[in-house]
Amino acid sequence: MNKIVNHLPTKDLQALDAAHHMHPFTENAELAKKGVKIITAADGVMLTDSDGNQILDGMAGLWCVNIGYGRKELADVAYAQMQQLPYYNTFFQTSHVPAISLSAKLAEISPEGFNHTFFATGGSEANDTNIRMVRHYWAAKDKPNKKTIISRINGYHGSTMGGASLGGMKGMHAQGGLPIANITYIGQPDWYNEAGDLSPLEFGLLRAKELEEKIHELGEENVAAFIAEPVQGAGGVIVPPESYWPEIQRICDEYDILLIADEVICGFGRTGHWFGTDYYGIRPHIMTIAKGLSSGYAPIGGSMVCDEVASVINSAGDFAHGYTYGGHPVGAAVALENLRIIQEENLIEKAASDTMPYLAEKWHDLSNHPLIGEANMVGFMGSLVMTPDKSSRAKFAADVGTVGLIARGHSFGNGLIMRHVGDRMIISPPITISRSEIDTLINLASKSLDETLADIKDQGLYK
Ligand code: PXG
């Protein structure tokens, strides 16, 4: 393999980064002082940094490198596609082979009735498409007032104006005058933090019924759609109680609104099925896809659209919407090869029958740790909720995220990428992670929790 190894020393790269590179979701000034961690290579589940350290990537990049790093087949198709047709678009009555083949492949692997895809370059753009598509759909059906989209507090749907508005992240709304008009929110099904004395089943129903109340409040004639992630990812791997999705489905069926499942993280094997909607038995009208679609090797995303919605949109004249790089030939070719590998190597079935239950058992054992109040795992999406008192599900007295940040520091220091969202620790490893790599992940996570506990006791935060 041709490895690119020659680069400047780490401190020079860090200085250049601090001088010229603005980072997303980062306190840039703080980072400039500390010096950024620079990843230079990766193989399987392991990253290499610019000092030659090996790090186990418990997050599959940003929840996306589902088949693991270093699959040369994907590089080969990208190279071949760039030589044959590096770019063409699908506007104005043209198309190209990779976009055609990928849309057909997606129709094959997706749930019954999903035979159409509108491409974008990532999840945010695809969710912007969804906002426009569902409003256009209702307008085409002579119901132009059906514009409002209901979403959830602490949901994540991207970072564009539309995506961030669909998301229910207060910190994002506070910057840039969001949300855009006609988007509104209901509560999230976070039993651990928000249920009080209710059982998970009671609380799941309660939170689902908020959708019905919101529809009544707004008037069904004004509601276009409800959007949600099957399992909230960026919100902290919040696994809804079992009662939640069936009740949401009942409400969506009963009222005349569209259901958008944001599969950007849950899709392409992460839950042990092709889609999170398969895991929960949900029947959406639109699915947002990105990330695992190409395992992150090239940027591509899209909206998978059910037959009924597609037929209305396709019969309503010109859908005045599209992105220069939507369904880019290189991204589409890479995605197709990624799906071929997932399918031919039975990666989802293998994980679901072996490594996923193996990790789940060990992950749940971590709830015996004095710091852990609850361990959640769906497929390969896991969270650990840290608490100073398991019996009362108490929060730490320090600001939310203080302990999470300490735990993340220990984890990175121990060579494991395990992230924090507030005081929850989260993982989402490549679906190809092996049993022995899982053992390593668990040992490093456990060691990091021990060190965190010792630290916060020292600092008087464990109360
Ligand atoms: N929907 C969901 C469910 C996502 O998780 C997007 C849409 C937006 O996709 P793009 O490709 O535009 O980023 C996402 C992205 C995190 C983190 O910190 C999560 C995402 C992106 C960046 C960071 O967990 N999810």
Side-chain angles (χ1 to χ4, degrees):
M1 189 165 90
N2 295 326
K3 277 214 167 139
I4 304 165
V5 286
N6 54 325
H7 57 71
L8 292 168
T10 298
K11 64 173 179 16
D12 296 351
L13 289 171
Q14 287 173 329
L16 286 173
D17 188 86
H20 303 295
H21 183 192
M22 297 173 79
H23 291 259
F25 287 96
T26 299
E27 285 186 34
N28 281 288
E30 193 63 30
L31 181 69
K33 271 191 248 150
K34 192 174 126 204
V36 72
K37 182 180 278 307
I38 300 157
I39 306 302
T40 54
D43 194 32
V45 301
M46 298 304 291
L47 307 171
T48 305
D49 74 11
S50 53
D51 293 325
N53 298 311
Q54 293 287 297
I55 306 160
L56 198 162
D57 187 3
M59 284 305 298
L62 279 178
W63 323 76
C64 55
V65 188
N66 287 12
I67 65 167
Y69 299 93
R71 292 298 302 244
K72 186 169 174 296
E73 302 92 319
L74 273 62
D76 289 342
V77 298
Y79 181 67
Q81 186 59 48
M82 277 207 191
Q83 287 185 312
Q84 172 150 348
L85 181 72
Y87 176 75
Y88 206 72
N89 62 77
T90 62
F91 287 46
F92 316 132
Q93 306 192 2
T94 62
S95 198
H96 52 70
V97 176
I100 296 168
S101 311
L102 181 60
S103 58
K105 174 54 86 178
L106 286 167
E108 178 199 316
I109 62 172
S110 57
E112 184 80 29
F114 271 89
N115 292 299
H116 308 268
T117 302
F118 189 101
F119 287 111
T121 66
S124 304
E125 279 184 1
N127 277 327
D128 278 29
T129 297
N130 293 340
I131 296 174
R132 302 209 40 208
M133 191 183 287
V134 298
R135 292 178 178 167
H136 183 47
Y137 168 86
W138 287 116
K141 290 184 66 148
D142 259 349
K143 295 184 176 173
N145 291 335
K146 282 175 85 68
K147 276 210 249 326
T148 298
I149 302 174
I150 303 172
S151 175
R152 303 185 298 183
I153 293 162
N154 202 36
Y156 188 84
H157 300 292
S159 200
T160 50
M161 294 290 277
S165 295
L166 289 176
M169 304 280 180
K170 278 205 198 94
M172 292 176 77
H173 292 177
Q175 297 173 354
L178 298 179
I180 58 171
N182 297 311
I183 294 180
T184 188
Y185 310 89
I186 59 172
Q188 61 175 336
D190 178 359
W191 175 80
Y192 188 90
N193 280 311
E194 299 180 9
D197 292 334
L198 296 180
S199 71
L201 291 183
E202 288 167 339
F203 181 70
L205 274 184
L206 184 87
R207 277 290 148 94
K209 285 189 195 305
E210 278 186 25
L211 176 60
E212 195 165 33
E213 286 158 23
K214 190 58 105 178
I215 295 169
H216 287 153
E217 179 192 319
L218 296 163
E220 184 185 329
E221 66 284 4
N222 298 314
V223 180
F226 172 62
I227 182 167
E229 304 151 83
V231 174
Q232 284 157 264
V237 185
I238 292 165
V239 179
E242 270 170 42
S243 53
Y244 183 75
W245 273 113
E247 182 64 5
I248 291 283
Q249 184 73 56
R250 176 194 70 75
I251 295 165
C252 291
D253 290 348
E254 197 168 315
Y255 299 87
D256 202 14
I257 66 168
L258 299 176
L259 173 58
I260 308 169
D262 188 333
E263 293 274 1
V264 167
I265 286 178
C266 291
F268 306 101
R270 177 118 335 262
T271 67
H273 297 262
W274 276 110
F275 297 96
T277 42
D278 297 326
Y279 178 90
Y280 283 110
I282 307 164
R283 298 179 309 282
H285 298 90
I286 295 176
M287 298 195 291
T288 322
I289 55 173
K291 295 194 190 268
L293 169 60
S294 64
S295 282
Y297 280 61
I300 186 161
S303 304
M304 296 200 60
V305 183
C306 75
D307 295 344
E308 202 267 322
V309 173
S311 81
V312 170
I313 297 291
N314 288 339
S315 315
D318 192 348
F319 182 31
H321 175 69
Y323 308 108
T324 300
Y325 298 125
H328 191 282
V330 177
V334 168
L336 203 55
E337 182 64 4
N338 172 60
L339 299 181
R340 184 193 66 74
I341 288 175
I342 294 177
Q343 229 174 1
E344 287 184 12
E345 297 182 10
N346 292 317
L347 295 181
I348 300 176
E349 294 80 357
K350 274 191 199 153
S353 64
D354 180 27
T355 43
M356 284 178 176
Y358 185 74
L359 174 59
E361 194 185 330
K362 289 175 177 270
W363 190 252
H364 285 119
D365 285 348
L366 290 176
S367 62
N368 297 323
H369 192 278
L371 201 49
I372 302 304
E374 186 186 54
N376 298 289
M377 183 69 73
V378 166
F380 273 159
M381 302 172 77
S383 60
L384 299 170
V385 192
M386 296 188 290
T387 176
D389 180 8
K390 288 170 186 257
S391 60
S392 65
R393 309 206 300 267
K395 296 191 173 68
F396 295 100
D399 287 347
V400 175
T402 309
V403 176
L405 196 61
I406 294 172
R408 188 189 73 176
H410 283 300
S411 178
F412 283 18
N414 286 324
L416 169 67
I417 302 277
M418 171 168 71
R419 287 247 321 276
H420 81 113
V421 176
D423 294 320
R424 301 168 85 96
M425 303 311 295
I426 58 171
I427 58 160
S428 161
I431 64 173
T432 50
I433 190 170
S434 68
R435 280 182 172 235
S436 68
E437 288 161 345
I438 288 172
D439 292 342
T440 306
L441 186 158
I442 293 290
N443 289 339
L444 294 175
S446 175
K447 180 171 181 241
S448 307
L449 293 175
D450 291 345
E451 292 168 357
T452 303
L453 182 60
D455 253 17
I456 63 174
K457 278 184 174 164
D458 279 356
Q459 294 176 32
L461 298 173
Y462 190 60
K463 51 182 170 197

